Each structure stands twice: as structure tokens, then as C-alpha cells.
Amino acid sequence: MKQVYFKILVIAGFLSLACTTRVSEWVLLNALPNQYTLVFFHNGPPGENIKKQNQEITDRIKNANIRFKTADRKDIKEPYYGLYYEDRLFSKFSNPAEMKDLTTSPLREKVAAELMGGKICVMLYLKTGIREKDDRGMQTLKKSLDASPFGGIITVVELSRNSTEEAHFANMLLNVEDDLKTIREPMLFGVFGKFKALEPLLGKGITEENISLMIDYLTAECSCLIKDDLPGTDILFTDKWDNPRPALLNKIIDDNPLLGE
Amino acid sequence: MQNDTISYDTVNDRPLPKWLTDQKEGLITIQPQKIEIKEDNSLKISFIATITVILLTIGVLTVFILKKFKRKE
């Protein structure tokens, strides 16, 4: 009989923990990143060289949230690779050289390390190259983080949308929504969980109020509404999400319980 | 998550992300249970049940007593 009481106590403990987990922590621990699909479109049976080339690509990307497929299509002249996220075409590549570092890059490594280190999120500032616009948004961001009690556990990284080293990463961010490529405004992406990028704040939408709301969203108690309908797009990255450090957010909330309400 | 962007004329008119509007409207936070006032018929049902029981009892007793008196006559 005593064992039954003990089991009830343990289950109740787990349930109470589940209800107080914050969005950023819950997503990192529980939500698996969505898969990309790399499709090789060809007309007719591929030759041995192509098969070997595709096997090399498969080996190179096997540790990331992506799968490889081939599709025989009669309506194409030249073979090509298409990178899809759900049913959205993100990029087209005519040869494997264009897919170099598709699943990883220095900045993605850095962002992932910050997320695994217990930070709430990484605020990724995608710059236009127009200094006046970029500086205005960055000043607002710095001011907002200085004013926030969680500012110290949010990392800011900057990326130019024209970066060649991070071209795949910038392209994925610009595909988070289907019109972003046409907008020449600085963009602020909240990156959290296992590399999930929220739909960005952009241009004049980068305000202290909106940044504060982004922080509120990521530090809120995780409700079923959030779990069932997670916003954002998962970024392609190698699968290195084991044993993250405990969320730094919890200590701040434990010390100041009013912040958690 | 719906990613199809609604058409707009300028960037300033572009709709805000859904997660942001939901957060602004407080839709994402855990909502308190809505209390709806429903019509309470329990008192009415109780009265009807009591009266029915009383009338039935009176009826049964009346028949019983009348039969008893008839036998004596």
C-alpha cells in the first residue's frame, strides 16, 4: 500500500514540474526539429558516377535533420538538387559543390553552443548592409536587453544577409516566411530550442515592446497551446542536442519569483 | 504554423508574426477556466419531487383507509 502512495507522489511531482517548465527549456528538451528533404531530380536512370556522388552527399548529411531522396522526372532537361522544408522549396543546387557546408557552419555551431549552454535564446540580427537601418535596430535591441532581467542570458549574434561563409544559413532564415527575401530591412530572429527560428521582427517592428514580448513568449510557462502549435522554422543543423546544460532562466526565476508570473 | 504571408502594400503594413499577436493578446499564456452561469433547476425539481411523493403517499393512505372502513361496515 505504501508503494502506491509513493508512486502517486512521484507522478504528482513530475506533473507539477511539467507545468512550470518554461517554453525555451521545454522546446529544447522535448521538441524534435522538423526534417528537411534534399531531392535529386533527374531525367532517366542516373549513371554510376551520379550514384556515387549522391552516396557521398547522403554520408555527409546523415547526422543532420535532413533526408535524401531521388525523383525521376521527364519534364526536366538538367538534373538538380532541391532543398525542401515541408512542402516549401528553399534552394536549388545544380551541383554538389554548391551544397558545401549545407548542414553546418561556424555561426550555426556558435548559436547551438549557446542554446546548449542554457541560454533562453539567441537573438540573431540579420543585417541589410545599410548602416543607418542596421544601427537603429541594433541600438533598440541593446537597450531592450539592458532593461530586461533576462538580458544576461540572451546572446546576440549578427549576420549579414550577403555573407558568403554563412550563405546557406542566411538563405534558410530568409525562407522562414515567403516574402522575407524581398524585404530590405534588418530582421531580428529569436532562435531557441533545437535551432528553431521564430518569424522575425523586422524594420520598424524591432521595438522595445516587441522584443520584450519575444522574451515574454520564451520565458512563459509552457502551455498546451504552445506545445500543440509551435511557431517558427527549424534550421538545418547537425544533430548534436544531447545533454544540454540546465536552463539558466530557472535560477533567475527562483531568485525572483515575481518574474515567473 | 501558417507561413503564407498575407498581401500588403508597404513593409509598415505587413502583419506582425502570429506568435507576437497571440502574445500581445495574452492568448499564449495559460488561460483561467471560463465560468459560465447556467440556469439552476435543482430547486424546481426538488419541489416537484417532494409534492409528487406527498400526493402519492396521501393517495395510497386514502385508498388504504377507505378500504379498511368499508370492511368494518
Side-chain angles (χ1 to χ4, degrees), chain A residues 22-34 65 85 111-112 114-116 118-124 153-155 157 169 173 176 188-200 214-220 222 226-227 229-235 237 241 249, chain B residues 1 19 28:
Chain A
R22 306 287 153 169
V23 171
S24 55
E25 188 183 13
W26 187 89
V27 177
L28 177 63
L29 295 176
N30 299 292
L32 289 172
N34 288 331
N65 52 325
Y85 180 80
V111 170
E114 294 292 324
L115 296 173
M116 290 292 281
K119 296 281 177 81
I120 296 174
C121 71
V122 172
M123 290 206 177
L124 193 144
I153 53 170
I154 292 171
T155 305
V157 294
F169 187 19
L173 291 169
V176 167
L188 182 65
F189 293 85
V191 181
F192 66 112
K194 293 176 178 140
F195 232 125
K196 194 176 271 296
L198 281 175
E199 288 78 11
M214 189 192 282
I215 298 170
D216 287 350
Y217 172 78
L218 295 167
T219 56
C222 199
I226 295 173
K227 291 174 188 173
D229 189 16
L230 275 178
T233 296
D234 291 293
I235 299 298
F237 186 62
W241 301 110
L249 167 69
Chain B
M1 187 69 198
W19 63 263
I28 289 172

Side-chain angles (χ1 to χ4, degrees), chain B residues 6-70:
Chain B
I6 303 160
S7 62
Y8 52 89
D9 296 327
T10 64
V11 176
N12 292 339
D13 297 332
R14 189 178 185 273
L16 293 168
K18 189 178 172 292
W19 63 263
L20 183 62
T21 50
D22 285 356
Q23 187 67 29
K24 264 189 181 172
E25 289 160 15
L27 294 177
I28 289 172
T29 49
I30 296 166
Q31 301 290 304
Q33 196 185 353
K34 281 186 184 173
I35 299 165
E36 286 176 22
I37 299 166
K38 287 179 186 169
E39 202 181 347
D40 186 5
N41 292 320
S42 57
L43 193 66
K44 214 184 279 180
I45 293 164
S46 172
F47 271 127
I48 292 167
T50 312
I51 290 166
T52 311
V53 169
I54 291 168
L55 288 176
L56 274 173
T57 315
I58 291 169
V60 169
L61 283 175
T62 312
V63 172
F64 177 74
I65 291 163
L66 283 176
K67 274 186 178 175
K68 212 176 179 186
F69 274 115
K70 267 186 184 178

Side-chain angles (χ1 to χ4, degrees), chain A:
Chain A
M1 200 61 188
K2 272 180 187 172
Q3 246 188 344
V4 174
Y5 287 133
F6 180 71
K7 278 178 188 170
I8 291 169
L9 202 69
V10 169
I11 291 165
F14 273 114
L15 285 176
S16 67
L17 274 176
C19 295
T20 54
T21 310
R22 306 287 153 169
V23 171
S24 55
E25 188 183 13
W26 187 89
V27 177
L28 177 63
L29 295 176
N30 299 292
L32 289 172
N34 288 331
Q35 294 280 310
Y36 282 75
T37 311
L38 183 65
V39 187
F40 176 62
F41 292 101
H42 57 96
N43 190 345
E48 280 308 310
N49 277 350
I50 297 288
K51 279 184 184 170
K52 197 181 162 197
Q53 176 182 289
N54 287 345
Q55 187 55 51
E56 280 170 15
I57 292 168
T58 312
D59 292 342
R60 216 187 305 151
I61 64 173
K62 68 180 176 191
N63 293 324
N65 52 325
I66 187 170
R67 60 185 163 227
F68 183 79
K69 278 169 73 173
T70 57
D72 194 351
R73 276 189 23 190
K74 302 292 168 208
D75 58 336
I76 56 163
K77 284 180 184 169
E78 293 293 324
Y80 68 92
Y81 297 87
L83 179 67
Y84 288 83
Y85 180 80
E86 294 169 345
D87 56 350
R88 290 145 58 196
L89 177 65
F90 273 23
S91 309
K92 276 184 178 180
F93 310 104
S94 53
N95 61 66
E98 290 176 13
M99 290 184 282
K100 188 175 176 281
D101 297 333
L102 184 65
T103 58
T104 190
S105 61
L107 192 61
R108 274 180 281 178
E109 293 280 354
K110 185 185 172 187
V111 170
E114 294 292 324
L115 296 173
M116 290 292 281
K119 296 281 177 81
I120 296 174
C121 71
V122 172
M123 290 206 177
L124 193 144
Y125 191 62
L126 191 67
K127 297 189 291 184
T128 58
I130 305 165
R131 199 172 166 186
E132 192 186 315
K133 284 182 175 180
D134 292 342
D135 288 351
R136 192 170 51 219
M138 182 47 86
Q139 276 171 12
T140 311
L141 174 57
K142 280 182 180 163
K143 218 169 148 187
S144 307
L145 294 183
D146 287 345
S148 169
F150 304 112
I153 53 170
I154 292 171
T155 305
V156 176
V157 294
E158 295 179 48
L159 171 63
S160 167
R161 65 191 284 160
N162 303 319
S163 164
T164 46
E165 193 183 22
E166 297 287 344
H168 293 306
F169 187 19
N171 179 56
M172 278 179 248
L173 291 169
L174 288 170
N175 270 297
V176 167
E177 286 182 280
D178 55 13
D179 62 341
L180 296 181
K181 279 184 181 172
T182 62
I183 301 172
R184 300 296 296 186
E185 293 288 339
M187 298 173 190
L188 182 65
F189 293 85
V191 181
F192 66 112
K194 293 176 178 140
F195 232 125
K196 194 176 271 296
L198 281 175
E199 288 78 11
L201 305 176
L202 54 90
K204 289 181 180 172
I206 303 175
T207 62
E208 285 183 55
E209 187 199 359
N210 287 344
I211 294 168
S212 172
L213 285 165
M214 189 192 282
I215 298 170
D216 287 350
Y217 172 78
L218 295 167
T219 56
E221 283 178 3
C222 199
S223 71
C224 299
L225 278 170
I226 295 173
K227 291 174 188 173
D228 293 345
D229 189 16
L230 275 178
T233 296
D234 291 293
I235 299 298
L236 185 50
F237 186 62
T238 48
D239 188 17
K240 293 177 183 170
W241 301 110
D242 290 334
N243 306 318
R245 281 187 60 193
L248 299 168
L249 167 69
N250 293 334
K251 182 165 185 338
I252 295 179
I253 291 175
D254 288 346
D255 293 344
N256 308 279
L258 286 173
L259 292 174
E261 288 174 359

